[in-house]
Amino acid sequence: MKKLASLAVLLCAASAWSEPVVIDGGAFQSPLVLDDEVVSLPVASFKLDAVQVSNRDFQKFVEKNPQWQRGNVPGIFSDHNYLRHWQSPLQAGEDINDLPVTRVSWYAARAYCESQGGRLPSKDEWEYVSQQIRQLDGISDKEYARHVFSWYSNPNSENLKAVGSGTASANGIHDLHGLVSEWVEDFQLLMTNGDDADLLTSSCGDTARFMANYDTASYATFFRYQSRSNYQPHTTTSTLGFRCAWSL
């Protein structure tokens, strides 16, 4: 009887993740000032996956889309580490099925989300959710900074936990921080001047000039911005996954 009860709990948990979470839109003050004339950014309501895409999810995708199987992806769309940890091009392996899929390029993540009728979240949408979680869950700046820096100092990809293993935030999102880093649609920093746009991919000391506030929590967020901009779209790493978004 206990086993049946446990199974029911697991099934309920899985069901709770099956539907994306509606994120109510609002005004968003970017942690980085990339345009002096823009004080706050409007973020429209959208849907976001409650958990990251798992290896099990991605396996179903490559089964239907052989062009995204390991060995079939052109080098321009992924580096040589693409899904290297999988048992075979079509099988992740039972021990990692429920873990967030990693070693996927931005191109592959984008193709997966498109196959689900969605897209990758924008940088502003992702950061908006991050700020919303801190506000709704009452996470102090000090606690937030400690959590973010703790993960970046020891990402520990060898002992990843299953998707959704962390407690859901008040808005229903699991593990936005602390499990893996995540691809966003516009992952590189941009400095705009009218119709001109320049990529900011230089050193931390250079791009830190664009931080809106100079405190520990802002630096933790900035560190994430800077880390993203160090990636190339074909990059794959053992600590980089993704989740999908949908416009409303």
Side-chain angles (χ1 to χ4, degrees):
M1 184 62 75
K2 283 186 177 179
K3 288 184 177 178
L4 288 175
S6 299
L7 179 59
V9 170
L10 287 173
L11 288 174
C12 287
S15 176
W17 302 340
S18 62
E19 294 296 327
V21 173
V22 175
I23 303 295
D24 293 328
F28 167 67
Q29 184 172 8
S30 174
L32 293 187
V33 180
L34 301 179
D35 188 333
D36 290 336
E37 297 181 358
V38 178
V39 177
S40 63
L41 304 168
V43 174
S45 298
F46 65 104
K47 287 185 178 181
L48 184 67
D49 274 335
V51 300
Q52 291 94 352
V53 174
S54 69
N55 283 298
R56 187 192 306 277
D57 298 328
F58 204 77
Q59 181 175 310
K60 293 175 184 175
F61 166 69
V62 300
E63 286 171 355
K64 294 179 180 177
N65 298 275
Q67 70 273 28
W68 289 107
Q69 292 172 12
R70 188 179 71 198
N72 291 347
V73 182
I76 191 173
F77 296 135
S78 184
D79 64 25
H80 67 282
N81 288 319
Y82 179 76
L83 297 180
R84 189 185 68 180
H85 59 310
W86 278 25
Q87 195 175 76
S88 73
L90 277 177
Q91 286 190 315
E94 289 188 8
D95 57 332
I96 65 170
N97 274 338
D98 295 325
L99 306 187
V101 66
T102 58
R103 299 189 189 281
V104 288
S105 67
W106 175 80
Y107 295 109
R110 211 166 182 241
Y112 174 92
C113 290
E114 287 178 359
S115 76
Q116 307 301 310
R119 55 177 173 75
L120 285 173
S122 71
K123 176 173 74 269
D124 288 339
E125 287 174 335
W126 200 100
E127 294 295 339
Y128 175 74
V129 174
S130 175
Q131 284 192 8
Q132 190 181 69
I133 288 174
R134 290 171 59 189
Q135 293 167 357
L136 293 175
D137 290 7
I139 300 172
S140 69
D141 289 353
K142 186 176 181 181
E143 185 181 2
Y144 164 73
R146 183 172 59 244
H147 188 54
V148 171
F149 284 133
S150 174
W151 184 81
Y152 273 106
S153 63
N154 184 26
N156 199 11
S157 62
E158 298 300 321
N159 294 299
L160 282 179
K161 294 180 180 178
V163 298
S165 55
T167 303
S169 301
N171 58 6
I173 298 295
H174 291 257
D175 303 309
L176 196 68
H177 305 293
L179 187 54
V180 292
S181 185
E182 299 181 15
W183 282 115
V184 294
E185 174 66 22
D186 46 345
F187 61 94
Q188 291 184 305
L189 294 174
L190 289 172
M191 181 66 181
T192 60
N193 180 18
D195 293 332
D196 295 329
D198 297 310
L199 291 176
L200 294 175
T201 56
S202 52
S203 69
C204 289
D206 179 34
T207 52
R209 293 180 294 125
F210 300 98
M211 290 172 59
N213 297 299
Y214 295 95
D215 53 45
T216 305
S218 296
Y219 183 65
T221 301
F222 159 75
F223 201 72
R224 182 167 58 249
Y225 274 76
Q226 181 64 43
S227 297
R228 287 192 189 114
S229 64
N230 288 333
Y231 298 133
Q232 297 298 317
H234 67 283
T235 298
T236 71
T237 81
S238 60
T239 57
L240 182 57
F242 69 100
R243 68 180 81 206
C244 302
W246 289 261
S247 300
L248 293 178

